[in-house]
Amino acid sequence: VARIIPVETFDLVIFGGTGDLARRKILPSLFHRMVVGQMPTDARIIGAARGKMTRKAFQEFVEESLEEFIDESERKPEDVKTFVGQLDYVALDALGEGGWEELGKKLRKDVVRAFYLSVGPSLFGGIAERLKKTGLATPKSRIVVEKPLGHDLESAQKLNAQLSASFKENQIYRIDHYLGKETVQNLMALRFANALFEPLWSAQHVDHVQITVAENIGVEGRGGYYDKSGAMRDMIQNHLMQLLCLTAMEPPARFEPNAVRDEKLKVIRALDPVPAADTVRGQYRANGEDGSYLDHVENPDSTTESYVAIKTQISNWRWAGTPFYLRTGKKLRGRLSEIAIIFKDVPHSIFPEVDEKRGNALIIRLQPDEGITLRMTIKDPGPGGMRLKEVPLDMTFADALGPNAEVADAYERLIMDVIRGNQTLFMRGDEVEAAWEWTDAILAAWEKGGKKPQAYDAGGSGPEDSLALMHRDGRRWREIA
Ligand code: BG6
């Protein structure tokens, strides 16, 4: 049975409580936390949105969302009943006056208050300001925001300024849902709770690092948002950057929010500017049944990228000379997120008949089948002489920890961390800005170059230039599927 850390009671207000993220992620996650017994029975969740709705109608709405997003076997009617009993609703004009007083009446004094802004970023500043002005933001309050946290450095700075006009940094929870993924946290356990890897974790022993987030889905219904953003802003600036930071950072002195975030920030600041020649942009084209990127966006001439590959360098003592290759894309052959640490080859091979030399590799798999694999070379069994073979030393968490091991959804952990007041897995304002600064330089180089993204087949393994980016360094990407 998983250990549950109890949390104190809370009032959670979800602005955009009837929106897509609330339906898909926030409410189902809270339901699950209630079922496992982490959510106090007197905790309350208050949906806030523009539309008029009775409490009962909101409860029904949530019930339907749970039906849609939670498997029937995990959804006992009595649990659903208890959960919706903890819900309330208020119709509210986010940037006007209406509804704020009513919201105030619903909130209890002296309990943790969390305001989850599950709304577009253009509303963040206005809501934060009203929370302060109306006195609803107490010292025990927290505000939760999620990407897009800006479109570039300038807008990110503006957003940070708006938030910090009403909340202290230690009250601001910036979600990157990748930080809530089980294996991402396991990366920290792997690195800092095992003595085995750390001595090898540097340019001296690591040839290069590959970070891949490949998706098989396309942009589908999200074309409106995505076309203004592209893979660089949607994935690299945040999710892949966070994975890079956790992989590359120095051991923090303590497992505490600012100690961890200081180390991540140092990594971002040590990133070299990336020349355009070390980047690849791609856009998927139709292939058989699969439509093209352009089928899903308004602009028929869009040059937004649905794929990015980047070679980057971290200029510090630990990593100088070890490239980090990042790639992410939509409509690829498979769904795979992993961090691969490729170690250097042996300095001298005593098995000269082995023509292909490949070093050990440590693969941290985020999804699917979360787990860790160490690639080793062994003797190919049998009497055929000294032939070598690569084998994986594999630990799939589901096998190692048993089928009942609880792998909670990222949002479950993150929301409970908000209530507990633990910011370790949330981004600090300066981190977000530093990541934008690095990203902006690449975006500017692309803009200046005026090169169109290279087309790649939907369902394939990405643009050719991406393969070339590796080949020219005598390396190759790991298979996506
Ligand atoms: C989101 C992006 O932040 O992450 C999406 O906006 C992407 O475009 C998604 O599909 C990927 O998340 P996950 O958890 O499915 O890997």
Side-chain angles (χ1 to χ4, degrees), residues 43 87 144 218 324 358 378 391:
L87 300 173
V144 185
F324 282 64
R358 285 175 82 179
I378 61 160
V391 289

Side-chain angles (χ1 to χ4, degrees), residues 25 147 177-178 181 213 215 217 222 225-226 234-235 238-239 330 335 337 367:
K25 291 289 183 186
K147 81 163 225 268
H177 81 279
Y178 264 62
K181 289 189 191 273
V213 178
E215 298 185 279
I217 53 165
R222 299 169 71 227
Y225 150 77
Y226 194 90
D234 186 53
M235 299 293 288
N238 39 79
H239 306 323
K330 302 232 177 253
R335 174 170 183 257
S337 297
Q367 55 203 26

Side-chain angles (χ1 to χ4, degrees), residues 56 102 109 140 167 183 193 240 265 303 307 320 385 473 477:
K56 181 134 193 302
E102 202 193 335
K109 289 207 168 45
K140 260 192 141 177
F167 289 85
T183 323
L240 280 92
L265 180 62
T303 57
Y307 181 102
D473 293 346
W477 290 112

Side-chain angles (χ1 to χ4, degrees), residues 115-418:
F115 301 104
Y116 197 133
L117 275 47
S118 178
V119 293
S122 60
L123 299 181
F124 290 174
I127 295 180
E129 196 188 321
R130 275 168 186 73
L131 286 169
K132 187 178 180 199
K133 217 170 68 190
T134 52
L136 298 188
T138 58
K140 260 192 141 177
S141 291
R142 281 129 217 199
I143 189 164
V144 185
V145 292
E146 188 161 1
K147 81 163 225 268
L149 298 174
H151 190 72
D152 53 18
L153 175 61
E154 201 187 324
S155 50
Q157 281 169 332
K158 207 166 132 205
L159 200 66
N160 278 337
Q162 285 175 331
L163 292 173
S164 47
S166 305
F167 289 85
K168 295 207 186 81
E169 183 61 35
N170 66 10
Q171 296 180 294
I172 305 173
Y173 288 73
R174 294 178 192 80
I175 289 191
D176 183 308
H177 81 279
Y178 264 62
L179 291 177
K181 289 189 191 273
E182 188 70 20
T183 323
V184 175
Q185 294 166 74
N186 234 311
L187 173 59
M188 285 191 272
L190 181 81
R191 286 193 59 195
F192 305 131
N194 294 281
L196 185 63
F197 298 110
E198 202 50 28
L200 303 176
W201 212 264
S202 71
Q204 204 184 341
H205 300 286
V206 176
D207 178 72
H208 71 283
V209 175
Q210 296 186 15
I211 301 179
T212 301
V213 178
E215 298 185 279
N216 48 12
I217 53 165
V219 287
E220 269 82 56
R222 299 169 71 227
Y225 150 77
Y226 194 90
D227 204 41
K228 287 195 207 73
S229 154
M232 187 71 184
R233 293 186 169 94
D234 186 53
M235 299 293 288
I236 302 267
Q237 188 272 345
N238 39 79
H239 306 323
L240 280 92
M241 179 63 84
Q242 290 296 323
L243 300 182
L244 172 111
C245 285
L246 294 176
T247 307
M249 72 182 184
E250 295 300 313
R254 280 173 294 279
F255 191 55
E256 280 176 4
N258 282 328
V260 172
R261 299 187 298 178
D262 285 344
E263 295 308 334
K264 288 198 292 167
L265 180 62
K266 282 189 219 162
V267 173
I268 306 176
R269 295 212 167 126
L271 286 173
D272 278 352
V274 179
D278 286 354
T279 69
V280 176
R281 302 172 75 223
Q283 189 187 76
Y284 63 88
R285 64 177 163 218
N287 180 21
E289 305 260 286
D290 289 319
S292 77
Y293 176 81
L294 296 174
D295 293 341
H296 298 280
V297 296
E298 242 171 58
N299 175 6
D301 303 316
S302 169
T303 57
T304 300
E305 77 284 353
S306 59
Y307 181 102
V308 174
I310 288 179
K311 174 186 179 184
T312 181
Q313 306 266 358
I314 303 169
S315 279
N316 63 17
W317 272 46
R318 186 187 286 264
W319 292 118
T322 295
F324 282 64
Y325 298 90
L326 316 177
R327 68 176 159 161
T328 183
K330 302 232 177 253
K331 270 286 174 203
L332 294 170
R333 186 181 298 152
R335 174 170 183 257
L336 172 78
S337 297
E338 65 169 33
I339 301 166
I341 319 288
I342 315 292
F343 291 94
K344 288 189 172 161
D345 208 351
V346 292
H348 161 70
S349 174
I350 61 166
F351 307 111
E353 64 275 26
V354 181
D355 42 335
E356 199 195 5
K357 293 192 282 182
R358 285 175 82 179
N360 296 112
L362 179 71
I363 320 298
I364 298 141
R365 210 164 46 245
L366 276 55
Q367 55 203 26
D369 311 327
E370 310 180 299
I372 294 171
T373 301
L374 187 60
R375 186 179 72 199
M376 315 260 294
T377 302
I378 61 160
K379 178 188 167 297
D380 200 4
M386 195 61 187
R387 281 182 296 134
L388 301 183
K389 185 183 163 85
E390 268 178 16
V391 289
L393 203 65
D394 210 342
M395 185 178 81
T396 301
F397 292 161
D399 296 343
L401 306 176
N404 295 327
E406 196 200 354
V407 178
D409 185 83
Y411 282 89
E412 294 182 37
R413 168 172 345 251
L414 295 175
I415 297 170
M416 289 300 113
D417 277 357
V418 170

